[in-house]
Amino acid sequence: MNITIPNIHHKDSNNFFLIAGPCVVEGRDICFEIAEKLITMTDKYKIPLVFKGSYRKANRTKVDSFTGIGDEKALKILEEVGKSFSIPTITDIHESHEAAMAAAYVDVLQIPAFLCRQTELLVAAAQTGKVVSVKKGQFLSGQSMQFAVEKIKAAGNNNVILTDRGNSFGYSDLVVDYRNIVEMKAFDVPVVMDCTHSLQQPNQASGVTGGKPALIETIAKAAIAVGADGLFMETHPNPAKALSDGANMIALDNLEAVLARLVRIREAIL
């Protein structure tokens, strides 16, 4: 993979890498609980781990939906997780001025799918020198993501990750086209499959996004089979009580068994 992520575990591993954690930073204790369990299982299977948590959720359906515990407070928790467990961390940014702020605390800056064409945001993220992970818009093909890569590299940063998270299918569903993984790998950057957000059912009449978490393993298996370099999975000890995107998360206690099966698939295709 043409990328350098500081402190990533098992650099000599031939495994896929895993980006995992809660959707949003809900508090210190739950982040540490999730991180500790993730490290235990990824160490067991020699899976490089990047801990994920949004310091703020800027894209919520309803005005009264939970957005975060405060930017600086959440970012400091992510920084503490990274330092305590010697693992890299990732969070998403939404506006150009947030890039430098978040970069002071985390190793990887994530560009949300709806913002993947925002030139100023991409350039600002690139100029921090951090790894920049861009989610493919639900409205774009894999081929069209070459321009996001070009914008980041033109700003002097070659550490780019592309992530597929499905394509809009009607008004309230998503579908995964695995050709996108192959197309994006042609840009010589690591490609990740977001196995949880790709199963969202957005724009529900209730104002709460739905999902199909029973299919997370299916999405992940297919992604590994077609050559994805990494997987993205949001997880929580109790998804039903998660403050954001609980409907499409994998329960933390169910994740290890899934990873064990995915590792076997990875071994089979190497």
Side-chain angles (χ1 to χ4, degrees):
M1 295 182 294
N2 182 26
I3 193 167
T4 301
I5 303 178
N7 302 323
I8 197 163
H9 281 191
H10 308 298
K11 291 181 180 178
D12 58 344
S13 174
N14 288 322
N15 250 326
F16 56 88
F17 63 95
L18 178 67
I19 300 174
C23 179
V24 63
V25 175
E26 299 177 6
R28 181 186 184 279
D29 290 348
I30 194 164
C31 281
F32 270 71
E33 176 187 352
I34 294 170
E36 187 170 7
K37 291 184 178 179
L38 284 173
I39 288 169
T40 298
M41 62 183 80
T42 54
D43 275 355
K44 181 178 179 178
Y45 296 103
K46 296 184 179 180
I47 300 170
L49 172 67
V50 181
F51 183 82
K52 184 268 174 183
S54 296
Y55 66 87
R56 172 163 39 89
K57 298 301 294 182
N59 177 16
R60 303 307 307 273
T61 304
K62 299 170 69 176
V63 69
D64 59 352
S65 295
F66 177 80
T67 58
I69 61 174
D71 292 357
E72 187 176 13
K73 183 178 180 180
L75 285 166
K76 284 183 176 179
I77 290 172
L78 289 172
E79 180 182 45
E80 189 179 358
V81 168
K83 289 181 177 179
S84 297
F85 297 106
S86 297
I87 55 173
T89 53
I90 180 173
T91 198
D92 36 4
I93 60 174
H94 320 92
E95 298 183 58
S96 301
H97 67 85
E98 297 176 17
M101 175 186 70
Y105 297 93
V106 300
D107 302 291
V108 186
L109 299 178
Q110 178 174 280
I111 308 300
F114 283 126
L115 301 177
C116 68
R117 286 171 51 93
Q118 299 297 104
T119 301
E120 288 186 3
L121 181 60
L122 292 168
V123 171
Q127 289 176 341
T128 67
K130 298 291 184 174
V131 178
V132 182
S133 178
V134 189
K135 287 198 173 184
K136 183 188 73 62
Q138 301 93 318
F139 44 87
L140 293 175
S141 69
Q143 288 181 331
S144 63
M145 290 301 291
Q146 66 179 306
F147 304 111
V149 174
E150 288 174 0
K151 290 174 183 178
I152 294 167
K153 290 188 174 182
N157 190 333
N158 291 322
N159 281 328
V160 187
I161 298 172
L162 294 179
T163 299
D164 190 13
R165 49 99 74 236
N167 282 80
S168 296
F169 187 69
Y171 292 113
S172 301
D173 208 355
L174 296 167
V175 65
V176 176
D177 180 351
Y178 288 95
R179 292 177 299 179
N180 288 326
I181 292 177
V182 178
E183 289 172 355
M184 292 192 294
K185 281 177 69 70
F187 307 140
D188 193 30
V189 299
V191 175
V192 173
M193 183 71 231
D194 183 340
C195 305
T196 45
H197 288 100
S198 60
L199 290 166
Q200 282 183 331
Q201 293 181 305
N203 306 316
Q204 299 297 309
S206 64
V208 179
T209 297
K212 296 182 178 180
L215 293 174
I216 291 171
E217 183 173 351
T218 300
I219 295 293
K221 285 177 175 177
I224 293 299
V226 299
D229 301 293
L231 299 175
F232 179 111
M233 295 186 188
E234 288 186 341
T235 186
H236 194 280
N238 187 348
K241 293 187 177 181
L243 299 180
S244 177
D245 282 358
N248 51 266
M249 285 183 173
I250 185 168
L252 188 58
D253 286 344
N254 296 338
L255 182 55
E256 182 175 347
V258 172
L259 292 177
R261 290 188 284 271
L262 293 173
V263 167
R264 291 200 294 272
I265 294 173
R266 174 74 171 184
E267 291 171 347
I269 66 171
L270 289 179

